PDB file of all heavy atoms in Angstrom:
ATOM      1  N   HIS A   1       0.827  -1.144  -0.019  1.00  0.00           N
ATOM      2  CA  HIS A   1       0.003  -0.004   0.050  1.00  0.00           C
ATOM      3  C   HIS A   1       0.883   1.245  -0.032  1.00  0.00           C
ATOM      4  O   HIS A   1       0.554   2.198  -0.760  1.00  0.00           O
ATOM      5  CB  HIS A   1      -0.906  -0.027   1.215  1.00  0.00           C
ATOM      6  CG  HIS A   1      -1.776   1.230   1.363  1.00  0.00           C
ATOM      7  ND1 HIS A   1      -3.005   1.405   0.821  1.00  0.00           N
ATOM      8  CD2 HIS A   1      -1.486   2.426   2.037  1.00  0.00           C
ATOM      9  CE1 HIS A   1      -3.510   2.602   1.078  1.00  0.00           C
ATOM     10  NE2 HIS A   1      -2.596   3.183   1.860  1.00  0.00           N
ATOM     11  N   GLY A   2       1.935   1.303   0.777  1.00  0.00           N
ATOM     12  CA  GLY A   2       2.804   2.419   0.835  1.00  0.00           C
ATOM     13  C   GLY A   2       3.460   2.694  -0.428  1.00  0.00           C
ATOM     14  O   GLY A   2       3.547   3.857  -0.886  1.00  0.00           O
ATOM     15  N   VAL A   3       3.921   1.684  -1.173  1.00  0.00           N
ATOM     16  CA  VAL A   3       4.580   1.875  -2.476  1.00  0.00           C
ATOM     17  C   VAL A   3       3.552   2.374  -3.475  1.00  0.00           C
ATOM     18  O   VAL A   3       3.778   3.259  -4.220  1.00  0.00           O
ATOM     19  CB  VAL A   3       5.241   0.516  -2.911  1.00  0.00           C
ATOM     20  CG1 VAL A   3       5.674   0.651  -4.392  1.00  0.00           C
ATOM     21  CG2 VAL A   3       6.410   0.208  -2.035  1.00  0.00           C
ATOM     22  N   LEU A   4       2.408   1.704  -3.481  1.00  0.00           N
ATOM     23  CA  LEU A   4       1.366   2.124  -4.532  1.00  0.00           C
ATOM     24  C   LEU A   4       0.922   3.507  -4.412  1.00  0.00           C
ATOM     25  O   LEU A   4       0.619   4.187  -5.348  1.00  0.00           O
ATOM     26  CB  LEU A   4       0.161   1.092  -4.444  1.00  0.00           C
ATOM     27  CG  LEU A   4       0.443  -0.321  -4.893  1.00  0.00           C
ATOM     28  CD1 LEU A   4      -0.842  -1.119  -4.646  1.00  0.00           C
ATOM     29  CD2 LEU A   4       0.769  -0.338  -6.297  1.00  0.00           C
ATOM     30  N   HIS A   5       0.861   4.010  -3.140  1.00  0.00           N
ATOM     31  CA  HIS A   5       0.308   5.339  -2.919  1.00  0.00           C
ATOM     32  C   HIS A   5       1.410   6.358  -2.639  1.00  0.00           C
ATOM     33  O   HIS A   5       1.106   7.507  -2.241  1.00  0.00           O
ATOM     34  CB  HIS A   5      -0.686   5.328  -1.797  1.00  0.00           C
ATOM     35  CG  HIS A   5      -1.885   4.460  -2.099  1.00  0.00           C
ATOM     36  ND1 HIS A   5      -2.969   4.993  -2.809  1.00  0.00           N
ATOM     37  CD2 HIS A   5      -2.224   3.183  -1.837  1.00  0.00           C
ATOM     38  CE1 HIS A   5      -3.856   4.068  -2.899  1.00  0.00           C
ATOM     39  NE2 HIS A   5      -3.506   2.975  -2.404  1.00  0.00           N
ATOM     40  N   GLY A   6       2.685   5.923  -2.773  1.00  0.00           N
ATOM     41  CA  GLY A   6       3.788   6.892  -2.568  1.00  0.00           C
ATOM     42  C   GLY A   6       3.921   7.326  -1.141  1.00  0.00           C
ATOM     43  O   GLY A   6       4.417   8.512  -0.911  1.00  0.00           O
ATOM     44  N   GLN A   7       3.608   6.565  -0.194  1.00  0.00           N
ATOM     45  CA  GLN A   7       3.606   6.930   1.227  1.00  0.00           C
ATOM     46  C   GLN A   7       4.830   6.343   1.857  1.00  0.00           C
ATOM     47  O   GLN A   7       4.786   5.234   2.415  1.00  0.00           O
ATOM     48  CB  GLN A   7       2.274   6.573   1.895  1.00  0.00           C
ATOM     49  CG  GLN A   7       1.048   7.172   1.416  1.00  0.00           C
ATOM     50  CD  GLN A   7      -0.253   6.677   1.909  1.00  0.00           C
ATOM     51  OE1 GLN A   7      -0.340   5.445   2.157  1.00  0.00           O
ATOM     52  NE2 GLN A   7      -1.139   7.536   2.154  1.00  0.00           N
ATOM     53  N   VAL A   8       5.958   7.073   1.916  1.00  0.00           N
ATOM     54  CA  VAL A   8       7.179   6.498   2.418  1.00  0.00           C
ATOM     55  C   VAL A   8       7.102   6.122   3.910  1.00  0.00           C
ATOM     56  O   VAL A   8       7.628   5.181   4.349  1.00  0.00           O
ATOM     57  CB  VAL A   8       8.340   7.529   2.209  1.00  0.00           C
ATOM     58  CG1 VAL A   8       8.178   8.749   2.897  1.00  0.00           C
ATOM     59  CG2 VAL A   8       9.708   6.835   2.488  1.00  0.00           C
ATOM     60  N   ASP A   9       6.394   6.950   4.740  1.00  0.00           N
ATOM     61  CA  ASP A   9       6.327   6.630   6.093  1.00  0.00           C
ATOM     62  C   ASP A   9       5.516   5.388   6.398  1.00  0.00           C
ATOM     63  O   ASP A   9       5.847   4.563   7.257  1.00  0.00           O
ATOM     64  CB  ASP A   9       5.623   7.895   6.908  1.00  0.00           C
ATOM     65  CG  ASP A   9       6.502   9.059   6.894  1.00  0.00           C
ATOM     66  OD1 ASP A   9       7.707   8.868   6.771  1.00  0.00           O
ATOM     67  OD2 ASP A   9       5.982  10.154   7.104  1.00  0.00           O
ATOM     68  N   VAL A  10       4.446   5.172   5.551  1.00  0.00           N
ATOM     69  CA  VAL A  10       3.672   3.954   5.742  1.00  0.00           C
ATOM     70  C   VAL A  10       4.516   2.733   5.326  1.00  0.00           C
ATOM     71  O   VAL A  10       4.524   1.737   6.083  1.00  0.00           O
ATOM     72  CB  VAL A  10       2.410   4.016   4.831  1.00  0.00           C
ATOM     73  CG1 VAL A  10       1.716   2.628   4.746  1.00  0.00           C
ATOM     74  CG2 VAL A  10       1.434   5.124   5.321  1.00  0.00           C
ATOM     75  N   PHE A  11       5.344   2.922   4.294  1.00  0.00           N
ATOM     76  CA  PHE A  11       6.117   1.726   3.836  1.00  0.00           C
ATOM     77  C   PHE A  11       7.211   1.435   4.882  1.00  0.00           C
ATOM     78  O   PHE A  11       7.426   0.279   5.293  1.00  0.00           O
ATOM     79  CB  PHE A  11       6.844   2.068   2.482  1.00  0.00           C
ATOM     80  CG  PHE A  11       7.889   1.043   2.157  1.00  0.00           C
ATOM     81  CD1 PHE A  11       7.459  -0.122   1.455  1.00  0.00           C
ATOM     82  CD2 PHE A  11       9.180   1.206   2.433  1.00  0.00           C
ATOM     83  CE1 PHE A  11       8.431  -1.075   1.079  1.00  0.00           C
ATOM     84  CE2 PHE A  11      10.167   0.291   2.149  1.00  0.00           C
ATOM     85  CZ  PHE A  11       9.692  -0.878   1.416  1.00  0.00           C
ATOM     86  N   ASN A  12       7.860   2.490   5.402  1.00  0.00           N
ATOM     87  CA  ASN A  12       8.956   2.220   6.356  1.00  0.00           C
ATOM     88  C   ASN A  12       8.458   1.618   7.609  1.00  0.00           C
ATOM     89  O   ASN A  12       9.106   0.685   8.167  1.00  0.00           O
ATOM     90  CB  ASN A  12       9.700   3.538   6.664  1.00  0.00           C
ATOM     91  CG  ASN A  12      10.533   4.059   5.532  1.00  0.00           C
ATOM     92  OD1 ASN A  12      10.941   3.284   4.708  1.00  0.00           O
ATOM     93  ND2 ASN A  12      10.803   5.331   5.541  1.00  0.00           N
ATOM     94  N   GLN A  13       7.279   2.147   8.173  1.00  0.00           N
ATOM     95  CA  GLN A  13       6.696   1.478   9.273  1.00  0.00           C
ATOM     96  C   GLN A  13       6.283   0.004   9.053  1.00  0.00           C
ATOM     97  O   GLN A  13       6.570  -0.879   9.878  1.00  0.00           O
ATOM     98  CB  GLN A  13       5.483   2.269   9.797  1.00  0.00           C
ATOM     99  CG  GLN A  13       4.825   1.744  11.095  1.00  0.00           C
ATOM    100  CD  GLN A  13       5.798   1.708  12.221  1.00  0.00           C
ATOM    101  OE1 GLN A  13       6.365   2.768  12.601  1.00  0.00           O
ATOM    102  NE2 GLN A  13       6.122   0.583  12.831  1.00  0.00           N
ATOM    103  N   ALA A  14       5.684  -0.290   7.939  1.00  0.00           N
ATOM    104  CA  ALA A  14       5.268  -1.686   7.598  1.00  0.00           C
ATOM    105  C   ALA A  14       6.411  -2.512   7.421  1.00  0.00           C
ATOM    106  O   ALA A  14       6.394  -3.780   7.747  1.00  0.00           O
ATOM    107  CB  ALA A  14       4.355  -1.609   6.355  1.00  0.00           C
ATOM    108  N   ASP A  15       7.537  -2.016   6.832  1.00  0.00           N
ATOM    109  CA  ASP A  15       8.762  -2.795   6.590  1.00  0.00           C
ATOM    110  C   ASP A  15       9.301  -3.264   7.937  1.00  0.00           C
ATOM    111  O   ASP A  15       9.639  -4.348   8.144  1.00  0.00           O
ATOM    112  CB  ASP A  15       9.722  -1.955   5.816  1.00  0.00           C
ATOM    113  CG  ASP A  15      11.047  -2.714   5.578  1.00  0.00           C
ATOM    114  OD1 ASP A  15      10.995  -3.786   5.012  1.00  0.00           O
ATOM    115  OD2 ASP A  15      12.073  -2.172   5.930  1.00  0.00           O
ATOM    116  N   ASP A  16       9.327  -2.298   8.889  1.00  0.00           N
ATOM    117  CA  ASP A  16       9.771  -2.576  10.212  1.00  0.00           C
ATOM    118  C   ASP A  16       8.812  -3.618  10.900  1.00  0.00           C
ATOM    119  O   ASP A  16       9.302  -4.596  11.503  1.00  0.00           O
ATOM    120  CB  ASP A  16       9.833  -1.387  11.085  1.00  0.00           C
ATOM    121  CG  ASP A  16      10.699  -1.541  12.347  1.00  0.00           C
ATOM    122  OD1 ASP A  16      11.876  -2.056  12.259  1.00  0.00           O
ATOM    123  OD2 ASP A  16      10.211  -1.217  13.405  1.00  0.00           O
ATOM    124  N   ASP A  17       7.540  -3.455  10.754  1.00  0.00           N
ATOM    125  CA  ASP A  17       6.591  -4.420  11.295  1.00  0.00           C
ATOM    126  C   ASP A  17       6.783  -5.794  10.705  1.00  0.00           C
ATOM    127  O   ASP A  17       6.626  -6.751  11.455  1.00  0.00           O
ATOM    128  CB  ASP A  17       5.176  -3.859  11.056  1.00  0.00           C
ATOM    129  CG  ASP A  17       4.806  -2.619  11.831  1.00  0.00           C
ATOM    130  OD1 ASP A  17       5.515  -2.256  12.820  1.00  0.00           O
ATOM    131  OD2 ASP A  17       3.853  -1.962  11.472  1.00  0.00           O
ATOM    132  N   PHE A  18       7.010  -5.842   9.457  1.00  0.00           N
ATOM    133  CA  PHE A  18       7.138  -7.127   8.801  1.00  0.00           C
ATOM    134  C   PHE A  18       8.342  -7.882   9.346  1.00  0.00           C
ATOM    135  O   PHE A  18       8.182  -9.052   9.765  1.00  0.00           O
ATOM    136  CB  PHE A  18       7.376  -6.927   7.237  1.00  0.00           C
ATOM    137  CG  PHE A  18       7.571  -8.198   6.500  1.00  0.00           C
ATOM    138  CD1 PHE A  18       6.516  -8.954   6.055  1.00  0.00           C
ATOM    139  CD2 PHE A  18       8.847  -8.677   6.246  1.00  0.00           C
ATOM    140  CE1 PHE A  18       6.724 -10.158   5.307  1.00  0.00           C
ATOM    141  CE2 PHE A  18       9.090  -9.878   5.532  1.00  0.00           C
ATOM    142  CZ  PHE A  18       8.026 -10.592   5.102  1.00  0.00           C
ATOM    143  N   HIS A  19       9.467  -7.294   9.446  1.00  0.00           N
ATOM    144  CA  HIS A  19      10.645  -7.956   9.926  1.00  0.00           C
ATOM    145  C   HIS A  19      10.560  -8.360  11.414  1.00  0.00           C
ATOM    146  O   HIS A  19      11.005  -9.468  11.851  1.00  0.00           O
ATOM    147  CB  HIS A  19      11.945  -7.157   9.637  1.00  0.00           C
ATOM    148  CG  HIS A  19      12.266  -7.101   8.266  1.00  0.00           C
ATOM    149  ND1 HIS A  19      13.153  -8.047   7.684  1.00  0.00           N
ATOM    150  CD2 HIS A  19      11.988  -6.280   7.211  1.00  0.00           C
ATOM    151  CE1 HIS A  19      13.296  -7.730   6.359  1.00  0.00           C
ATOM    152  NE2 HIS A  19      12.566  -6.652   6.099  1.00  0.00           N
ATOM    153  N   THR A  20       9.918  -7.465  12.144  1.00  0.00           N
ATOM    154  CA  THR A  20       9.670  -7.774  13.575  1.00  0.00           C
ATOM    155  C   THR A  20       8.720  -8.905  13.756  1.00  0.00           C
ATOM    156  O   THR A  20       8.891  -9.739  14.635  1.00  0.00           O
ATOM    157  CB  THR A  20       9.176  -6.525  14.311  1.00  0.00           C
ATOM    158  OG1 THR A  20      10.106  -5.410  14.208  1.00  0.00           O
ATOM    159  CG2 THR A  20       8.958  -6.810  15.766  1.00  0.00           C
ATOM    160  N   ALA A  21       7.708  -8.906  12.900  1.00  0.00           N
ATOM    161  CA  ALA A  21       6.658  -9.982  12.988  1.00  0.00           C
ATOM    162  C   ALA A  21       7.329 -11.346  12.660  1.00  0.00           C
ATOM    163  O   ALA A  21       6.937 -12.312  13.276  1.00  0.00           O
ATOM    164  CB  ALA A  21       5.540  -9.675  12.081  1.00  0.00           C
ATOM    165  N   VAL A  22       8.143 -11.404  11.695  1.00  0.00           N
ATOM    166  CA  VAL A  22       8.799 -12.662  11.324  1.00  0.00           C
ATOM    167  C   VAL A  22       9.665 -13.102  12.507  1.00  0.00           C
ATOM    168  O   VAL A  22       9.685 -14.273  12.860  1.00  0.00           O
ATOM    169  CB  VAL A  22       9.716 -12.537  10.066  1.00  0.00           C
ATOM    170  CG1 VAL A  22      10.593 -13.746   9.843  1.00  0.00           C
ATOM    171  CG2 VAL A  22       8.791 -12.254   8.812  1.00  0.00           C
ATOM    172  N   ALA A  23      10.467 -12.211  13.050  1.00  0.00           N
ATOM    173  CA  ALA A  23      11.264 -12.515  14.228  1.00  0.00           C
ATOM    174  C   ALA A  23      10.448 -13.054  15.390  1.00  0.00           C
ATOM    175  O   ALA A  23      10.844 -13.946  16.124  1.00  0.00           O
ATOM    176  CB  ALA A  23      12.193 -11.362  14.572  1.00  0.00           C
ATOM    177  N   THR A  24       9.283 -12.403  15.603  1.00  0.00           N
ATOM    178  CA  THR A  24       8.387 -12.785  16.690  1.00  0.00           C
ATOM    179  C   THR A  24       7.892 -14.182  16.481  1.00  0.00           C
ATOM    180  O   THR A  24       7.822 -15.072  17.432  1.00  0.00           O
ATOM    181  CB  THR A  24       7.215 -11.834  16.776  1.00  0.00           C
ATOM    182  OG1 THR A  24       7.658 -10.464  17.024  1.00  0.00           O
ATOM    183  CG2 THR A  24       6.200 -12.220  17.853  1.00  0.00           C
ATOM    184  N   ALA A  25       7.592 -14.491  15.157  1.00  0.00           N
ATOM    185  CA  ALA A  25       7.044 -15.868  14.933  1.00  0.00           C
ATOM    186  C   ALA A  25       8.115 -16.976  15.039  1.00  0.00           C
ATOM    187  O   ALA A  25       7.783 -18.179  15.045  1.00  0.00           O
ATOM    188  CB  ALA A  25       6.494 -15.867  13.437  1.00  0.00           C
ATOM    189  N   ALA A  26       9.395 -16.626  15.198  1.00  0.00           N
ATOM    190  CA  ALA A  26      10.461 -17.584  15.430  1.00  0.00           C
ATOM    191  C   ALA A  26      10.433 -18.068  16.867  1.00  0.00           C
ATOM    192  O   ALA A  26      11.010 -19.107  17.163  1.00  0.00           O
ATOM    193  CB  ALA A  26      11.814 -16.978  15.143  1.00  0.00           C
ATOM    194  N   HIS A  27       9.695 -17.430  17.756  1.00  0.00           N
ATOM    195  CA  HIS A  27       9.468 -17.805  19.111  1.00  0.00           C
ATOM    196  C   HIS A  27      10.914 -18.089  19.810  1.00  0.00           C
ATOM    197  O   HIS A  27      11.183 -19.050  20.454  1.00  0.00           O
ATOM    198  CB  HIS A  27       8.720 -19.100  19.231  1.00  0.00           C
ATOM    199  CG  HIS A  27       7.280 -18.940  18.837  1.00  0.00           C
ATOM    200  ND1 HIS A  27       6.291 -18.654  19.778  1.00  0.00           N
ATOM    201  CD2 HIS A  27       6.706 -18.820  17.669  1.00  0.00           C
ATOM    202  CE1 HIS A  27       5.083 -18.538  19.220  1.00  0.00           C
ATOM    203  NE2 HIS A  27       5.298 -18.643  17.858  1.00  0.00           N
ATOM    204  N   ASN A  28      11.803 -17.057  19.644  1.00  0.00           N
ATOM    205  CA  ASN A  28      13.115 -17.060  20.235  1.00  0.00           C
ATOM    206  C   ASN A  28      13.414 -15.637  20.722  1.00  0.00           C
ATOM    207  O   ASN A  28      13.647 -14.780  19.868  1.00  0.00           O
ATOM    208  CB  ASN A  28      14.213 -17.536  19.256  1.00  0.00           C
ATOM    209  CG  ASN A  28      15.523 -17.717  19.924  1.00  0.00           C
ATOM    210  OD1 ASN A  28      16.045 -16.749  20.519  1.00  0.00           O
ATOM    211  ND2 ASN A  28      16.133 -18.876  19.801  1.00  0.00           N
ATOM    212  N   THR A  29      13.312 -15.435  22.028  1.00  0.00           N
ATOM    213  CA  THR A  29      13.503 -14.082  22.505  1.00  0.00           C
ATOM    214  C   THR A  29      14.821 -13.397  22.183  1.00  0.00           C
ATOM    215  O   THR A  29      14.882 -12.199  21.928  1.00  0.00           O
ATOM    216  CB  THR A  29      13.299 -14.014  24.049  1.00  0.00           C
ATOM    217  OG1 THR A  29      12.021 -14.661  24.422  1.00  0.00           O
ATOM    218  CG2 THR A  29      13.493 -12.752  24.683  1.00  0.00           C
ATOM    219  N   PHE A  30      15.857 -14.195  22.146  1.00  0.00           N
ATOM    220  CA  PHE A  30      17.207 -13.658  21.822  1.00  0.00           C
ATOM    221  C   PHE A  30      17.256 -13.206  20.367  1.00  0.00           C
ATOM    222  O   PHE A  30      17.808 -12.148  20.009  1.00  0.00           O
ATOM    223  CB  PHE A  30      18.302 -14.703  22.134  1.00  0.00           C
ATOM    224  CG  PHE A  30      18.372 -15.080  23.603  1.00  0.00           C
ATOM    225  CD1 PHE A  30      17.829 -16.266  24.002  1.00  0.00           C
ATOM    226  CD2 PHE A  30      18.937 -14.200  24.502  1.00  0.00           C
ATOM    227  CE1 PHE A  30      17.819 -16.658  25.328  1.00  0.00           C
ATOM    228  CE2 PHE A  30      18.929 -14.603  25.876  1.00  0.00           C
ATOM    229  CZ  PHE A  30      18.368 -15.790  26.261  1.00  0.00           C
ATOM    230  N   LEU A  31      16.721 -14.052  19.470  1.00  0.00           N
ATOM    231  CA  LEU A  31      16.704 -13.643  18.055  1.00  0.00           C
ATOM    232  C   LEU A  31      15.833 -12.289  17.857  1.00  0.00           C
ATOM    233  O   LEU A  31      16.276 -11.472  17.143  1.00  0.00           O
ATOM    234  CB  LEU A  31      16.079 -14.797  17.248  1.00  0.00           C
ATOM    235  CG  LEU A  31      17.056 -15.813  16.522  1.00  0.00           C
ATOM    236  CD1 LEU A  31      16.231 -16.788  15.805  1.00  0.00           C
ATOM    237  CD2 LEU A  31      18.071 -15.045  15.689  1.00  0.00           C
ATOM    238  N   LEU A  32      14.735 -12.340  18.510  1.00  0.00           N
ATOM    239  CA  LEU A  32      13.815 -11.122  18.352  1.00  0.00           C
ATOM    240  C   LEU A  32      14.615  -9.815  18.889  1.00  0.00           C
ATOM    241  O   LEU A  32      14.500  -8.845  18.178  1.00  0.00           O
ATOM    242  CB  LEU A  32      12.568 -11.317  19.211  1.00  0.00           C
ATOM    243  CG  LEU A  32      11.602 -10.123  19.260  1.00  0.00           C
ATOM    244  CD1 LEU A  32      11.162  -9.710  17.801  1.00  0.00           C
ATOM    245  CD2 LEU A  32      10.365 -10.449  20.127  1.00  0.00           C
ATOM    246  N   SER A  33      15.284  -9.968  19.945  1.00  0.00           N
ATOM    247  CA  SER A  33      16.028  -8.746  20.482  1.00  0.00           C
ATOM    248  C   SER A  33      17.134  -8.431  19.510  1.00  0.00           C
ATOM    249  O   SER A  33      17.337  -7.168  19.263  1.00  0.00           O
ATOM    250  CB  SER A  33      16.573  -9.118  21.896  1.00  0.00           C
ATOM    251  OG  SER A  33      17.378  -8.119  22.274  1.00  0.00           O
ATOM    252  N   ALA A  34      17.855  -9.291  18.967  1.00  0.00           N
ATOM    253  CA  ALA A  34      18.954  -9.011  18.037  1.00  0.00           C
ATOM    254  C   ALA A  34      18.393  -8.384  16.716  1.00  0.00           C
ATOM    255  O   ALA A  34      19.026  -7.435  16.211  1.00  0.00           O
ATOM    256  CB  ALA A  34      19.715 -10.324  17.678  1.00  0.00           C
ATOM    257  N   VAL A  35      17.266  -8.895  16.217  1.00  0.00           N
ATOM    258  CA  VAL A  35      16.713  -8.316  15.025  1.00  0.00           C
ATOM    259  C   VAL A  35      16.263  -6.939  15.248  1.00  0.00           C
ATOM    260  O   VAL A  35      16.464  -6.017  14.493  1.00  0.00           O
ATOM    261  CB  VAL A  35      15.452  -9.228  14.520  1.00  0.00           C
ATOM    262  CG1 VAL A  35      14.696  -8.439  13.447  1.00  0.00           C
ATOM    263  CG2 VAL A  35      16.043 -10.547  14.008  1.00  0.00           C
ATOM    264  N   ARG A  36      15.631  -6.629  16.428  1.00  0.00           N
ATOM    265  CA  ARG A  36      15.213  -5.329  16.725  1.00  0.00           C
ATOM    266  C   ARG A  36      16.342  -4.344  16.876  1.00  0.00           C
ATOM    267  O   ARG A  36      16.302  -3.233  16.401  1.00  0.00           O
ATOM    268  CB  ARG A  36      14.398  -5.289  18.060  1.00  0.00           C
ATOM    269  CG  ARG A  36      12.930  -5.764  17.877  1.00  0.00           C
ATOM    270  CD  ARG A  36      12.353  -5.948  19.291  1.00  0.00           C
ATOM    271  NE  ARG A  36      10.845  -6.198  19.088  1.00  0.00           N
ATOM    272  CZ  ARG A  36      10.036  -6.570  20.064  1.00  0.00           C
ATOM    273  NH1 ARG A  36      10.565  -6.712  21.279  1.00  0.00           N
ATOM    274  NH2 ARG A  36       8.726  -6.735  19.890  1.00  0.00           N
ATOM    275  N   ASP A  37      17.407  -4.824  17.536  1.00  0.00           N
ATOM    276  CA  ASP A  37      18.646  -3.954  17.676  1.00  0.00           C
ATOM    277  C   ASP A  37      19.272  -3.593  16.327  1.00  0.00           C
ATOM    278  O   ASP A  37      19.605  -2.418  16.095  1.00  0.00           O
ATOM    279  CB  ASP A  37      19.720  -4.623  18.630  1.00  0.00           C
ATOM    280  CG  ASP A  37      19.377  -4.361  20.091  1.00  0.00           C
ATOM    281  OD1 ASP A  37      18.511  -3.512  20.392  1.00  0.00           O
ATOM    282  OD2 ASP A  37      20.017  -5.029  20.878  1.00  0.00           O
ATOM    283  N   ALA A  38      19.380  -4.594  15.532  1.00  0.00           N
ATOM    284  CA  ALA A  38      19.985  -4.322  14.136  1.00  0.00           C
ATOM    285  C   ALA A  38      19.142  -3.351  13.343  1.00  0.00           C
ATOM    286  O   ALA A  38      19.666  -2.527  12.678  1.00  0.00           O
ATOM    287  CB  ALA A  38      20.164  -5.623  13.424  1.00  0.00           C
ATOM    288  N   ARG A  39      17.850  -3.527  13.453  1.00  0.00           N
ATOM    289  CA  ARG A  39      16.955  -2.640  12.648  1.00  0.00           C
ATOM    290  C   ARG A  39      16.999  -1.197  13.156  1.00  0.00           C
ATOM    291  O   ARG A  39      16.779  -0.299  12.436  1.00  0.00           O
ATOM    292  CB  ARG A  39      15.581  -3.195  12.579  1.00  0.00           C
ATOM    293  CG  ARG A  39      15.470  -4.371  11.714  1.00  0.00           C
ATOM    294  CD  ARG A  39      14.054  -4.824  11.373  1.00  0.00           C
ATOM    295  NE  ARG A  39      13.405  -3.739  10.620  1.00  0.00           N
ATOM    296  CZ  ARG A  39      13.542  -3.477   9.330  1.00  0.00           C
ATOM    297  NH1 ARG A  39      14.355  -4.217   8.651  1.00  0.00           N
ATOM    298  NH2 ARG A  39      12.924  -2.502   8.714  1.00  0.00           N
ATOM    299  N   ARG A  40      17.108  -1.053  14.534  1.00  0.00           N
ATOM    300  CA  ARG A  40      17.289   0.251  15.108  1.00  0.00           C
ATOM    301  C   ARG A  40      18.552   0.928  14.566  1.00  0.00           C
ATOM    302  O   ARG A  40      18.530   2.109  14.203  1.00  0.00           O
ATOM    303  CB  ARG A  40      17.359   0.188  16.582  1.00  0.00           C
ATOM    304  CG  ARG A  40      16.062  -0.125  17.313  1.00  0.00           C
ATOM    305  CD  ARG A  40      16.200   0.024  18.765  1.00  0.00           C
ATOM    306  NE  ARG A  40      15.007  -0.486  19.497  1.00  0.00           N
ATOM    307  CZ  ARG A  40      14.944  -1.532  20.260  1.00  0.00           C
ATOM    308  NH1 ARG A  40      16.047  -2.242  20.378  1.00  0.00           N
ATOM    309  NH2 ARG A  40      13.847  -1.963  20.844  1.00  0.00           N
ATOM    310  N   LEU A  41      19.587   0.166  14.505  1.00  0.00           N
ATOM    311  CA  LEU A  41      20.819   0.671  13.856  1.00  0.00           C
ATOM    312  C   LEU A  41      20.633   1.084  12.446  1.00  0.00           C
ATOM    313  O   LEU A  41      21.039   2.158  11.962  1.00  0.00           O
ATOM    314  CB  LEU A  41      21.934  -0.296  13.922  1.00  0.00           C
ATOM    315  CG  LEU A  41      22.492  -0.634  15.301  1.00  0.00           C
ATOM    316  CD1 LEU A  41      23.478  -1.798  15.264  1.00  0.00           C
ATOM    317  CD2 LEU A  41      23.167   0.562  15.972  1.00  0.00           C
ATOM    318  N   GLN A  42      19.871   0.315  11.703  1.00  0.00           N
ATOM    319  CA  GLN A  42      19.688   0.598  10.222  1.00  0.00           C
ATOM    320  C   GLN A  42      18.863   1.958  10.156  1.00  0.00           C
ATOM    321  O   GLN A  42      19.049   2.684   9.252  1.00  0.00           O
ATOM    322  CB  GLN A  42      19.020  -0.501   9.518  1.00  0.00           C
ATOM    323  CG  GLN A  42      18.851  -0.240   8.028  1.00  0.00           C
ATOM    324  CD  GLN A  42      18.273  -1.479   7.316  1.00  0.00           C
ATOM    325  OE1 GLN A  42      18.596  -2.619   7.578  1.00  0.00           O
ATOM    326  NE2 GLN A  42      17.348  -1.233   6.346  1.00  0.00           N
ATOM    327  N   ARG A  43      18.001   2.139  11.065  1.00  0.00           N
ATOM    328  CA  ARG A  43      17.137   3.313  11.016  1.00  0.00           C
ATOM    329  C   ARG A  43      17.954   4.546  11.107  1.00  0.00           C
ATOM    330  O   ARG A  43      17.570   5.674  10.759  1.00  0.00           O
ATOM    331  CB  ARG A  43      16.049   3.294  11.993  1.00  0.00           C
ATOM    332  CG  ARG A  43      14.861   2.403  11.601  1.00  0.00           C
ATOM    333  CD  ARG A  43      13.616   2.683  12.462  1.00  0.00           C
ATOM    334  NE  ARG A  43      13.764   2.364  13.767  1.00  0.00           N
ATOM    335  CZ  ARG A  43      13.534   1.185  14.285  1.00  0.00           C
ATOM    336  NH1 ARG A  43      13.061   0.229  13.587  1.00  0.00           N
ATOM    337  NH2 ARG A  43      13.652   0.952  15.593  1.00  0.00           N
TER     338      ARG A  43
END
């Protein structure tokens, strides 16, 4: 939706939500923490 409508903030938030959701679905607290930290750095 963000790409189709040219909404960069929507895309960026959804991109972060996507990667966080995948890490959450791994059911490993340490992995989730590492993914979140790395994405904070990328931001």
Side-chain angles (χ1 to χ4, degrees):
H1 176 87
V3 170
L4 290 176
H5 296 276
Q7 297 173 322
V8 64
D9 290 339
V10 171
F11 173 84
N12 286 337
Q13 182 60 58
D15 180 55
D16 195 52
D17 292 344
F18 177 86
H19 288 272
T20 301
V22 171
T24 299
H27 291 264
N28 185 306
T29 300
F30 298 101
L31 267 180
L32 176 60
S33 178
V35 168
R36 282 174 169 167
D37 276 350
R39 290 194 61 79
R40 289 190 188 106
L41 290 173
Q42 185 176 319
R43 282 198 293 273

